[in-house]
Amino acid sequence: MIERLTLANSRQEAMIGALVDAAERRFSGPSNDSEFSRWERNVLLHREVEHRTWKIGASERLLRSVLNSLDGRMCIIGRDGAIIGTNRLWDDFTEEMGWRTADSRTGANFFAVIQQIRGELGKTLAAAAREILDGSSHQAALKGYLPLMGRGEDVVIRLHPVIGHDEGRLVITMIDISHSVRTERDLHRITADAQLLALVAQHTDNAVVIADGTGQIEWVNNAFCRASGYKLDELVGLSRMALIDEAFMQTPAFVEFTEELLAGRSAHVQHPCSTKDGGTYWVHVEVQSILENGVPVRFVSVERDITTQRAADKKLRAATTKAQLLADQLSSEKALLSEVLGSIPHLVYWKDADLRYTGVNQAFLAIRAMADEGAVLNRLESELDCSDELSSALNELEPQVLATGLPVENHRLILDPADRPRCSLLLSVLPQTDEEGTVCGVIGVAADVTHVSTLEQQLAQATRLESIGQLAAGIAHEINTPVQYVSDNTRFLVETFGEVLSPLLADSELAVGDDPVADRLRALLKGVDLAFLGEEIPSALNQSLEGLDRVAQIIRAMKDFSHPGQGRVAADLNRAVESTVQVSRSEWRYVAELDLDLDPDVGLVRCHEGELKQVLLNIVVNAAQAIGGDAERAAGGTLGRIGLRTERTATGVRITITDNGPGMSESVRKKIFDPFFTTKPVGKGTGQGLSMAYAVIQKHGGALAVSSSLGAGSIFTIDLPDDHSG
């Protein structure tokens, strides 16, 4: 094609030259030499030349389009190996190789260009080109590997000599055949793989079946023949479905299996197969559809005999079911045990032989202020973010239990953390043994006996107070008799002093004159100021009577306060408040003034009167001591104020005790009702008064609250229900 186009182009150029020569000869011969005639001839000549030139350009453009449309790289070589023409693919090739345009395209030397190609292909191409240019060879074709930048190609290079052209001597085309080479290689590989697969399929232990699109068997391997009992020639042409149990073919699993295959997808299923002698065996089948134009044309299945496996699976399922039942029972028991351990108030933990924690319950985490088990499990005691009295006790007792194998029981200790209430524990550390009886760890159980200790303290305090009350009642009773007759005698003196004073006053009036009687009277009355005595003695006797009445009042108040009561009965609340104020007078009279605001409508309230009086006494005494301990107030010499108020509420009665003492900080206020908490120095308080007061009010079904801040005093509020059985 290229040669024909080149030859046609050469002929057209020759024809144009001939036309020009003929025109010149025509115009140079005898003719009309007029100016118009010459102009007309020139115009015709130019038109003819332009037409021929356009046709030549069109031919050249057609030739260039054809060259650029070729699917191979092409260059045209002239004399001495000069490149006189290239197509688009050759230009792209030189650009991809990174060669300079001037050194690789039109005008460049072909042999200098191909020297840049690495490997033997460049040398072989140069030799073949020289042979054709020298005329020693007519044409040549080469195959080889062309290394490009970052990749390579398999190419075929054809060399054709140019005939009938003045300058062109050789046309070289280079075509990429990499795809064809790869296809050929793939074909060889696939053929080898197919042969290998056929060999593997024939000798594998799994059965292999190839069926056509209708399911008829085309080929099976020896393993299938052994499993089914058929020979190959007996199976070819037989439907694979004919060897499957008919009942199983109606199951949803098999229906889904066939639908997947017909849809062109791979599928697998387990199903029973029939043997030639009427037996049955189970297989696990994996089938791959082979498609042409989206339609299955063959089915290749690999079948594995699972009869033995199914029998083993059946036994395994039975064993698994039994194990699951046991596991469920153990899980239920474990859940119950976990629930019990999580709900009991006792601290429970267990450790391994290295004394690392392997488990704790919620009470253990709570009392040691730990968020969850992650802060404890698999850690030694020294690795915990907690150092308290329990740590010291465990570090002492646990090694002893591990060494001796003997338990340590009822070890008492007290936890006194700075940020939580103090508590008392009764700890037991027990050895944990394995199936052989070897000690493999320890188990710790600690009972929080804070409440028991508090009750013991409260009972001791109540017993002591009861004894003191009984003693006070006895003393008051004993004092009451002498006070009574002293009061009676004083009252007698008050009543008779006027009768004695009147004669003395009359005698003083008679002590005038010079008679001996008057002199004697004046001697007797000398130094006696009857007027002063007449005024002061009655006043002193009256004050003595008031004092004796006060003593009698205090004695009655002590008898009332110390009366043990008769359980929960109706009691006069206001009277109970008054008697408590009288008994505590010695505590507050020198530091504060006490104001009573008692609602007469309060009336009777069902309560444990003795316990309620003790609550009021504790709060009033604490208020007096707080005011007395205020150094700033003491320096100013002013008295504080304590107020007691009773009132009816919608649900019962309320007692409010206020003071203008120094008050309490927020941290102290939060712990004011905690057992053993006190702000008083050692020997001045046990920290049980307000704790017992809180317990007593709770016992009544009521509420005890405090409101206080530093510098603003304190307000204690006691709410008691109207009628609460207790």
Side-chain angles (χ1 to χ4, degrees), residues 397-563:
L397 300 178
E398 289 174 344
Q400 175 184 338
V401 173
L402 280 181
T404 63
L406 300 176
V408 175
E409 298 178 343
N410 299 328
H411 178 82
R412 186 179 290 270
L413 67 143
I414 294 177
L415 292 183
D416 192 11
D419 56 344
R420 298 188 305 281
R422 184 180 184 186
C423 64
S424 179
L425 298 178
L426 202 61
L427 173 65
S428 295
V429 180
L430 313 174
Q432 181 181 3
T433 58
D434 56 19
E435 296 178 354
E436 299 177 354
T438 304
V439 177
C440 61
V442 295
I443 300 174
V445 180
D448 186 352
V449 294
T450 305
H451 181 62
V452 176
S453 298
T454 303
L455 290 178
E456 290 175 352
Q457 295 287 343
Q458 290 177 353
L459 180 59
Q461 177 74 356
T463 303
R464 185 170 65 87
L465 290 175
E466 183 179 357
S467 299
I468 293 173
Q470 292 175 355
L471 178 61
I475 294 173
H477 180 72
E478 293 298 326
I479 293 175
N480 188 55
T481 300
V483 167
Q484 185 64 44
Y485 63 71
V486 171
S487 297
D488 292 343
N489 290 340
T490 303
R491 192 169 288 106
F492 170 74
L493 290 175
V494 171
E495 293 173 355
T496 59
F497 179 70
E499 297 177 1
V500 175
L501 183 60
S502 296
L504 288 176
L505 291 175
D507 289 344
S508 66
E509 292 176 357
L510 295 176
V512 295
D514 295 330
D515 58 281
V517 176
D519 292 338
R520 185 175 177 81
L521 286 174
R522 281 195 296 271
L524 291 172
L525 296 175
K526 185 180 179 180
V528 177
D529 189 350
L530 291 176
F532 174 76
L533 294 175
E535 292 180 2
E536 292 301 324
I537 288 177
S539 176
L541 291 173
N542 287 330
Q543 289 178 1
S544 296
L545 283 175
E546 290 178 2
L548 290 169
D549 288 341
R550 180 65 180 160
V551 171
Q553 187 179 7
I554 292 173
I555 290 172
R556 286 194 301 271
M558 287 185 64
K559 291 174 67 178
D560 287 344
F561 186 84
S562 61
H563 192 280

Side-chain angles (χ1 to χ4, degrees), residues 567-589:
R568 187 159 191 170
V569 296
D572 188 338
L573 182 62
N574 287 342
R575 181 180 174 184
V577 172
E578 289 172 341
S579 64
T580 302
V581 169
Q582 291 295 337
V583 170
S584 62
R585 182 179 179 83
S586 61
E587 292 287 341
W588 55 262
R589 65 178 298 182

Side-chain angles (χ1 to χ4, degrees), residues 703-719:
L704 173 58
V706 61
S707 173
S708 181
S709 59
L710 286 175
S714 302
I715 302 174
F716 284 84
T717 304
I718 301 172
D719 285 301

Side-chain angles (χ1 to χ4, degrees), residues 257-485:
F257 167 72
T258 55
E259 289 176 352
E260 290 290 312
L261 291 180
L262 294 176
R265 293 185 289 268
S266 60
H268 63 89
V269 71
Q270 294 181 4
H271 63 75
C273 287
S274 301
T275 63
K276 184 177 180 180
D277 58 5
T280 301
Y281 66 100
W282 278 81
V283 293
H284 178 274
V285 179
E286 295 184 7
V287 182
Q288 180 69 45
S289 301
I290 299 176
L291 306 178
E292 288 185 5
N293 299 322
V295 178
V297 294
R298 272 176 180 73
F299 300 103
V300 178
S301 66
V302 177
E303 305 178 359
R304 179 167 52 89
D305 190 336
I306 59 171
T307 306
T308 304
Q309 178 184 337
R310 282 180 60 85
D313 288 345
K314 185 176 181 180
K315 293 180 180 179
L316 178 61
R317 282 194 297 272
T320 302
T321 302
K322 184 177 180 180
Q324 185 63 44
L325 291 175
L326 292 175
D328 291 343
Q329 292 176 359
L330 290 175
S331 177
S332 177
E333 292 177 359
K334 181 180 178 181
L336 178 60
L337 179 59
S338 298
E339 185 176 349
V340 170
L341 288 177
S343 60
I344 62 174
H346 292 61
L347 285 68
V348 182
Y349 73 90
W350 48 102
K351 296 182 178 181
D352 59 19
D354 296 327
L355 295 181
R356 291 186 178 274
Y357 281 98
T358 54
V360 295
N361 71 340
Q362 188 60 39
F364 181 94
L365 297 174
I367 204 164
R368 306 197 76 181
M370 295 179 178
D372 51 41
E373 290 183 340
V376 182
L377 296 184
N378 204 31
R379 298 189 183 188
L380 297 171
E381 191 70 36
S382 59
E383 296 173 349
L384 298 184
D385 189 16
C386 175
S387 178
D388 52 22
E389 293 81 357
L390 181 58
S391 292
S392 302
L394 296 181
N395 288 332
E396 176 186 352
L397 300 178
E398 289 174 344
Q400 175 184 338
V401 173
L402 280 181
T404 63
L406 300 176
V408 175
E409 298 178 343
N410 299 328
H411 178 82
R412 186 179 290 270
L413 67 143
I414 294 177
L415 292 183
D416 192 11
D419 56 344
R420 298 188 305 281
R422 184 180 184 186
C423 64
S424 179
L425 298 178
L426 202 61
L427 173 65
S428 295
V429 180
L430 313 174
Q432 181 181 3
T433 58
D434 56 19
E435 296 178 354
E436 299 177 354
T438 304
V439 177
C440 61
V442 295
I443 300 174
V445 180
D448 186 352
V449 294
T450 305
H451 181 62
V452 176
S453 298
T454 303
L455 290 178
E456 290 175 352
Q457 295 287 343
Q458 290 177 353
L459 180 59
Q461 177 74 356
T463 303
R464 185 170 65 87
L465 290 175
E466 183 179 357
S467 299
I468 293 173
Q470 292 175 355
L471 178 61
I475 294 173
H477 180 72
E478 293 298 326
I479 293 175
N480 188 55
T481 300
V483 167
Q484 185 64 44
Y485 63 71

Side-chain angles (χ1 to χ4, degrees), residues 579-650:
S579 64
T580 302
V581 169
Q582 291 295 337
V583 170
S584 62
R585 182 179 179 83
S586 61
E587 292 287 341
W588 55 262
R589 65 178 298 182
Y590 298 108
V591 296
E593 296 178 354
L594 193 145
D595 300 325
L596 290 176
D597 181 11
L598 306 179
D599 184 357
D601 294 332
V602 167
L604 300 178
V605 177
R606 293 188 74 251
C607 64
H608 297 274
E609 184 177 359
E611 295 180 4
L612 182 59
K613 288 176 183 177
Q614 184 64 48
V615 170
L616 296 174
L617 178 64
N618 286 339
I619 297 176
V620 171
V621 170
N622 281 347
Q625 291 175 349
I627 293 173
D630 189 350
E632 185 176 346
R633 187 187 303 278
T638 59
L639 295 177
R641 300 197 71 85
I642 300 175
L644 273 83
R645 182 170 184 263
T646 61
E647 60 181 319
R648 273 280 168 190
T649 63

Side-chain angles (χ1 to χ4, degrees), residues 109-279:
N109 185 275
F110 174 77
F111 297 103
V113 170
I114 62 175
Q115 283 181 355
Q116 302 178 70
I117 298 177
R118 299 188 305 274
E120 295 296 325
L121 182 63
K123 297 177 182 179
T124 305
L125 176 59
R130 291 187 188 280
E131 290 179 357
I132 294 177
L133 290 176
D134 294 343
S136 57
S137 177
H138 297 290
Q139 62 182 13
L142 307 174
K143 281 186 180 182
Y145 181 76
L146 177 65
L148 300 176
M149 297 298 288
R151 63 184 181 88
E153 292 179 356
D154 291 293
V155 296
V156 59
I157 302 175
R158 294 188 176 89
L159 297 88
H160 297 277
V162 177
I163 300 174
H165 194 273
D166 294 337
E167 296 184 3
R169 292 292 180 266
L170 176 63
V171 175
I172 298 177
T173 57
M174 184 185 299
I175 300 174
D176 181 5
I177 61 171
S178 298
H179 180 70
S180 300
V181 171
R182 284 195 299 270
T183 302
E184 184 177 356
R185 290 172 184 166
D186 290 342
L187 181 59
H188 287 303
R189 179 178 55 80
I190 291 171
T191 302
D193 290 346
Q195 293 173 347
L196 179 61
L197 289 175
L199 182 63
V200 171
Q202 189 61 261
H203 294 86
T204 184
D205 291 335
N206 293 332
V208 179
V209 180
I210 300 176
D212 62 15
T214 64
Q216 289 185 335
I217 296 175
E218 294 181 336
W219 180 85
V220 298
N221 67 346
N222 292 334
F224 187 87
C225 293
R226 289 194 301 270
S228 64
Y230 290 94
K231 296 180 180 180
L232 176 60
D233 55 359
E234 294 175 326
L235 292 169
V236 173
L238 186 66
S239 173
R240 180 65 184 88
M241 297 294 184
L243 302 178
I244 300 176
D245 183 76
E246 294 184 4
F248 184 81
M249 293 173 62
Q250 308 302 321
T251 62
F254 193 82
V255 171
E256 182 181 358
F257 167 72
T258 55
E259 289 176 352
E260 290 290 312
L261 291 180
L262 294 176
R265 293 185 289 268
S266 60
H268 63 89
V269 71
Q270 294 181 4
H271 63 75
C273 287
S274 301
T275 63
K276 184 177 180 180
D277 58 5

